[in-house]
Amino acid sequence: MDMKFTCNNASNDELTALSNAASGSSQILAAMAPPPPDPSTLPSWEAAFAHPLPVVRSLHTQLTSQISSNREKLRSLVGSSYRDLLSTAEKIIEMETQIRTVESNLGKIGRGCDSRIVTGRIGGERWDGGRDREWGRLETIARVKVAKGGIEAVGRIVRRGGNALVAAKVLGVVRLLLKSLDGSEVHELLMKELGRRVTALKGKLLRHIDSVLVKPGTERGELVKALCAYAMITSSNQRDVLQHFLELRLEALETKSQDPSQATVLEMLELYSNTILEARDAFTRCLAEGLAQLSKAALLQDAEVSSLTELGLDVHGRWIPENIRTYTYSTYSTSMATSDVDKGLQAWSSEVQRLIMQTVTASLAAQTNIKAVLDFRHAVLMKFFVVSVQTRDENPSSMFDKLRAAISMRTNRLLAQATQLQLELTEPGKFVADTPQPSVWTLAAKSLDSTNGAAALRKAVIDHRHGRDEHVQRVHSSLASWSARIEEHWAVIATMRTTKWETDDLDFDLDDVGYEGDAELRALLNKDDPRSAEERLRLDTTEALGAAYKQIAGAAKDGDNAAYCLRVLRELEARTRALGSRVKDGPSLDASLHASLYEAIAKQACEHPLREYRAALENATQVVSILWDGTPALPVQPSPTTFKFLTALQRSIAGMGEDLWSRDAVDAVRRQVGAALAESLDEGDLAKDNVEDEAKAAPDAEALAAEGIHDGSEKSSELEPSAAEATQRLFDILYLQLPLTHPSDSANPLDKARIVLQSRAQLDGAAQQRLQKSAKEYWKRTYLLFGLLAAREQ
């Protein structure tokens, strides 16, 4: 351990020696280093860092000391300059005071050295008397100048729409000054001119006051000042001021009513409310307080009046007489009783409500859209409710009922106009009835818009299927727009049930309105009014449809355009069914209209085929019995003439359009064809055949007796020509009865002809049954060829 301690001591000594050597070396280096340069000689701050680090540190020390020195010098310089400034200001103030004193003294010297005063003193006049006359002359000049300045000040205030009360005070001072100048040495023309200007200025000031009183948004303080100014100028009491105020507001409302609109009605209600509230506040308290303030200070001592530069009171004020300088306006300023104000407002409110109702009626008359009417209803009634709550109207029921009745009347009138339906029926004549309907395949040759896919093709196919040519399409489009209009009105009326009459931004409740009707206010607005409008719309729609049905019936009376009328009737019935419960009990329609139209189109369809068939029956044709079958041989198919007749009838029916042929229409064809064939056979062919048979009856009997027929019951297998013809016609009759007979018919018109032909054909019961069975079988094989005539076959 001793050795270790010795080593440690040796180490410490070595470290001390090394540190001493280092410090010594640094001192030597510092002594050897060159002196630092002057910072002011450096071209830039980068040049300072080009020197060694000790030099940079020295430069930093120099700059720091220079900054501190400069700061102290600047502080001492500013302090001394500020003290010099204060002393200069004091000298300026002192000089100003001295100058004023000199000016005052010079003014006194100038007034004392006036030529007239000197002349008077030279003439031996007394100084006091001259001074009094001079004082009077200066007072007169000062009053004239102040009066002229007051006139200019009032004119400026009126032009710029300034404070009416200040203008009234100045005008009062001017009138006092002019009154004090009566009998003075002022020229008469000058007095007349000043009086005329004051009179004209009074009218302008009153018009300015009126504009302030009727201006919307006038602050309550400005309104009270204008009322005080009017009372001061016209020397009116508060009752007269109230009457004038209400007359002005009524004139403003009448002016607004000249341009009726929803905004105008809302503005009138707002002005009505503001007038009541302002009248109650101003005439029960504020006006009396404002008038009382006028009597507390002289007019010329008012700060706003004395500060007007046009008056020049700082110069001319000392020459104004004392009685004018101290004049104070005084009036009877007791507040009006609330009952007196309410009494005046009651008569005024009745007139205003009448005017508002006229404007409401005129505004509604200009509305042609029911949605706009309902928006008008919501806005006006909401504003009326707010006004009723704000003005604390005790009984708003009468006004509300009038507003509601006016709106309902206009709504009902618009509903009646919206439901008007006038069909533009054309007179297509034979174009509709006789021109065959083109095939649906003709649509392939048309250029159809494919923008929306197959929508145009689908519409074209549907229009063709329903026979909607250009004439029917016009009616279809008219009915479509009419139905859309009806649906739109139903949707608009439905919004009346969900209308909100209480909002967050308006702090009122319907219960606060004070309505005293039989029903609750909310129920009237959201239940009774929509129900009444819906009933009216339903009734008007029913009447419009009834009128349209009558119009179609009138157009179809002659039957020339039955197909067209039937298609139009079908379009109208489709719209009626689509409306459903929105039509009241269904429109009244004559049930015979459909039947007459069916009979008319059936007549048109059957006319040409029947004419050709009659002509073919009149021409005698030979019966081809070789195609008959069975024993005895009987026909198994109709004659070519009959088959061609059915084919032609089917083509005629299809040519008019398959959309026309309902079950009743086809039954009408069956009835007409059956009746026409029965009439033709009874009056023509069968009658002629009966005559020929009677003429041949005797020779045939003699021939049979001469030949010695042995057994009357034996019959030839071959029929006589007349019997063969009757048999073929009997088959034709049986075949025609199948498509032309309706299951509900109790008797067929061809039964008579069938019975006659059965007797002439000389067939027994079995043959007749076989013939009838053959006719049915052939019909089953061919009925699909006849389209609509085979519709009852299943």
Side-chain angles (χ1 to χ4, degrees):
M1 295 182 64
D2 293 338
M3 293 178 65
K4 184 176 181 180
F5 179 76
T6 304
C7 290
N8 290 336
N9 291 335
S11 297
N12 293 333
D13 294 339
E14 291 177 356
L15 292 174
T16 302
L18 288 174
S19 62
N20 293 331
S23 61
S25 62
S26 62
Q27 292 176 358
I28 294 171
L29 290 174
M32 294 176 65
D38 187 4
S40 61
T41 61
L42 295 176
S44 63
W45 62 269
E46 291 92 346
F49 293 96
H51 297 278
L53 182 60
V55 175
V56 173
R57 288 178 178 175
S58 177
L59 289 173
H60 177 264
T61 303
Q62 292 180 21
L63 291 174
T64 304
S65 62
Q66 289 179 6
I67 290 172
S68 300
S69 175
N70 291 336
R71 184 183 296 111
E72 293 297 331
K73 291 179 181 179
L74 180 62
R75 183 177 297 143
S76 61
L77 180 62
V78 170
S80 62
S81 299
Y82 182 71
R83 286 190 294 274
D84 293 341
L85 178 64
L86 292 178
S87 62
T88 303
E90 291 177 354
K91 290 180 181 180
I92 291 173
I93 295 173
E94 183 180 356
M95 291 172 62
E96 181 182 8
T97 304
Q98 293 175 357
I99 289 172
R100 288 183 178 180
T101 303
V102 171
E103 288 179 349
S104 177
N105 293 333
L106 289 176
K108 292 179 181 179
I109 294 172
R111 289 193 297 272
C113 296
D114 186 79
S115 60
R116 286 188 294 270
I117 297 177
V118 173
T119 303
R121 295 185 63 182
I122 293 174
E125 296 179 357
R126 294 183 57 190
W127 174 262
D128 293 339
R131 186 177 59 182
D132 293 340
R133 285 193 296 273
E134 181 64 16
W135 189 270
R137 187 182 66 83
L138 294 176
E139 282 185 350
T140 302
I141 295 174
R143 279 181 282 178
V144 172
K145 290 186 176 181
V146 172
K148 289 182 178 180
I151 294 174
E152 293 176 359
V154 174
R156 177 181 59 81
I157 293 173
V158 172
R159 285 193 303 272
R160 298 182 180 181
N163 192 331
L165 184 57
V166 174
K169 290 179 179 179
V170 175
L171 186 62
V173 172
V174 172
R175 294 170 67 181
L176 289 174
L177 291 173
L178 295 181
K179 187 177 180 180
S180 66
L181 291 173
D182 290 342
S184 62
E185 299 178 356
V186 180
H187 198 278
E188 184 178 357
L189 292 178
L190 178 60
M191 291 297 298
K192 289 182 178 180
E193 177 63 19
L194 293 176
R196 184 190 62 80
R197 292 179 62 183
V198 168
T199 303
L201 197 60
K202 177 182 178 183
K204 293 180 180 180
L205 180 56
L206 288 176
R207 287 191 292 272
H208 170 61
I209 293 173
D210 292 345
S211 66
V212 174
L213 294 178
V214 299
K215 181 181 178 181
T218 303
E219 296 183 0
R220 194 66 55 86
E222 295 295 326
L223 183 70
V224 173
K225 289 180 180 179
L227 292 174
C228 292
Y230 179 81
M232 182 177 178
I233 294 174
T234 60
S235 301
S236 302
N237 56 29
Q238 296 190 42
R239 192 180 303 275
D240 296 334
V241 175
L242 174 62
Q243 183 67 26
H244 179 72
F245 175 68
L246 296 181
E247 289 177 356
L248 288 176
R249 291 296 175 93
L250 182 60
E251 292 176 0
L253 290 170
E254 290 176 348
T255 303
K256 289 181 178 295
S257 65
Q258 300 301 320
D259 184 19
S261 63
Q262 176 178 328
T264 301
V265 175
L266 297 179
E267 291 175 0
M268 292 178 70
L269 287 173
E270 180 69 20
L271 186 56
Y272 170 74
S273 173
N274 291 339
T275 302
I276 294 178
L277 296 177
E278 291 168 355
R280 288 175 178 172
D281 184 38
F283 290 93
T284 56
R285 181 176 58 86
C286 296
L287 181 59
E289 294 177 356
L291 294 175
Q293 289 293 330
L294 295 178
S295 60
K296 292 182 179 180
L299 297 180
L300 284 176
Q301 295 177 4
D302 185 271
E304 294 180 340
V305 174
S306 60
S307 63
L308 294 175
T309 58
E310 292 89 349
L311 297 180
L313 294 179
D314 54 343
V315 177
H316 308 296
R318 59 181 299 179
W319 307 107
I320 303 298
E322 184 68 19
N323 60 337
I324 297 178
R325 279 187 289 148
T326 59
Y327 176 78
T328 303
Y329 175 80
S330 61
T331 183
Y332 181 71
S333 60
T334 304
S335 301
M336 291 182 63
T338 305
S339 59
D340 296 336
V341 176
D342 291 340
K343 185 178 180 181
L345 288 174
Q346 185 176 2
W348 179 82
S349 299
S350 301
E351 187 67 20
V352 171
Q353 290 179 6
R354 181 190 61 80
L355 187 62
I356 291 176
M357 284 307 306
Q358 291 180 356
T359 309
V360 167
T361 304
S363 302
L364 289 172
Q367 301 290 346
T368 58
N369 189 347
I370 188 171
K371 189 176 185 303
V373 172
L374 295 185
D375 292 341
F376 179 92
R377 169 180 180 264
H378 181 262
V380 171
L381 290 182
M382 281 286 288
K383 187 63 178 178
F384 173 73
F385 294 151
V386 173
V387 169
S388 299
V389 174
Q390 290 178 348
T391 58
R392 300 185 298 277
D393 191 356
E394 297 180 356
N395 186 17
S397 305
S398 176
M399 185 66 177
F400 171 74
D401 292 337
K402 291 178 181 178
L403 288 173
R404 182 165 165 259
I407 296 172
S408 298
M409 184 181 299
R410 184 56 183 169
T411 302
N412 294 339
R413 188 167 300 173
L414 288 179
L415 293 177
Q417 294 176 0
T419 55
Q420 287 181 356
L421 178 60
Q422 184 67 27
L423 299 178
E424 297 180 2
L425 299 180
T426 59
E427 296 293 338
K430 293 185 178 181
F431 176 79
V432 176
D434 296 342
T435 303
Q437 187 181 25
S439 173
V440 70
W441 298 109
T442 58
L443 297 176
K446 292 184 177 181
S447 178
L448 299 176
D449 184 14
S450 60
T451 305
N452 297 325
L457 176 61
R458 178 176 177 273
K459 182 178 183 302
V461 172
I462 292 175
D463 290 343
H464 182 276
R465 177 68 182 83
H466 291 86
R468 292 173 183 160
D469 57 5
E470 57 178 346
H471 304 287
V472 180
Q473 188 68 34
R474 187 182 301 112
V475 177
H476 173 75
S477 301
S478 176
L479 288 174
S481 61
W482 178 80
S483 299
R485 191 165 64 247
I486 296 298
E487 293 294 338
E488 180 183 358
H489 281 71
W490 275 96
V492 172
I493 292 174
T495 60
M496 297 173 64
R497 300 183 181 277
T498 58
T499 302
K500 294 183 179 180
W501 299 98
E502 298 168 342
T503 57
D504 297 335
D505 54 342
L506 297 176
D507 187 13
F508 84 99
D509 189 88
L510 283 181
D511 297 334
D512 299 335
V513 176
Y515 179 70
E516 298 179 356
D518 296 335
E520 186 182 358
L521 194 58
R522 187 177 286 101
L524 287 175
L525 296 172
N526 289 355
K527 293 182 180 180
D528 293 354
D529 288 351
R531 181 170 57 252
S532 176
E534 289 175 351
E535 288 296 327
R536 185 64 189 182
L537 180 58
R538 185 179 291 109
L539 180 61
D540 292 339
T541 304
T542 305
E543 292 178 354
L545 289 173
Y549 280 123
K550 291 180 180 179
Q551 184 181 359
I552 296 175
K557 187 176 298 182
D558 52 3
D560 293 338
N561 53 352
Y564 171 74
C565 291
L566 188 60
R567 288 189 173 105
V568 172
L569 181 62
R570 183 183 59 209
E571 295 287 345
L572 187 60
E573 288 179 332
R575 300 296 174 183
T576 304
R577 289 192 298 271
L579 290 174
S581 61
R582 295 178 178 178
V583 180
K584 186 175 183 180
D585 299 333
S588 58
L589 175 64
D590 189 359
S592 63
L593 179 58
H594 283 88
S596 62
L597 291 176
Y598 291 151
E599 294 294 336
I601 62 173
K603 181 179 179 181
Q604 294 174 2
C606 300
E607 183 177 2
H608 183 67
L610 282 173
R611 185 168 59 251
E612 292 183 348
Y613 188 50
R614 289 194 186 101
L617 290 178
E618 291 176 357
N619 298 327
T621 57
Q622 186 178 0
V623 178
V624 183
S625 60
I626 191 173
L627 299 177
W628 292 10
D629 190 18
T631 304
L634 296 176
V636 293
Q637 62 184 11
S639 63
T641 302
T642 301
F643 193 82
K644 289 180 180 179
F645 165 67
L646 285 180
T647 304
L649 181 60
Q650 163 60 24
R651 289 176 181 173
S652 178
I653 293 175
M656 294 182 65
E658 295 182 358
D659 61 295
L660 297 173
W661 303 105
S662 63
R663 183 182 297 272
D664 294 335
V666 176
D667 290 342
V669 172
R670 294 190 179 107
R671 288 192 298 270
Q672 291 204 11
V673 172
L677 290 178
E679 182 181 359
S680 177
L681 292 173
D682 292 341
E683 296 178 356
D685 300 331
L686 293 182
K688 181 173 70 175
D689 292 341
N690 290 334
V691 173
E692 293 176 356
D693 292 342
E694 291 176 358
K696 295 178 180 180
D700 291 343
E702 293 177 357
L704 290 175
E707 293 175 359
I709 296 177
H710 299 286
D711 187 6
S713 61
E714 295 179 2
K715 296 183 179 178
S716 174
S717 61
E718 298 293 334
L719 297 175
E720 295 295 330
S722 61
E725 184 178 356
T727 303
Q728 182 62 55
R729 290 198 176 184
L730 177 59
F731 186 88
D732 291 346
I733 293 297
L734 293 174
Y735 184 73
L736 288 173
Q737 281 185 326
L738 293 174
L740 300 179
T741 302
H742 194 273
S744 62
D745 293 342
S746 58
N748 192 288
L750 296 177
D751 286 343
K752 182 178 180 181
R754 179 178 58 80
I755 294 172
V756 173
L757 291 173
Q758 284 178 354
S759 63
R760 289 179 54 197
Q762 300 177 3
L763 298 177
D764 57 9
Q768 292 179 11
Q769 292 180 359
R770 189 159 61 88
L771 191 66
Q772 191 171 6
K773 183 178 180 182
S774 298
K776 291 182 179 180
E777 290 178 354
Y778 192 80
W779 171 250
K780 288 182 179 180
R781 292 197 301 271
T782 60
Y783 77 91
L784 293 178
L785 299 175
F786 305 112
L788 293 171
L789 293 174
R792 68 186 186 89
E793 296 291 340
Q794 301 294 336

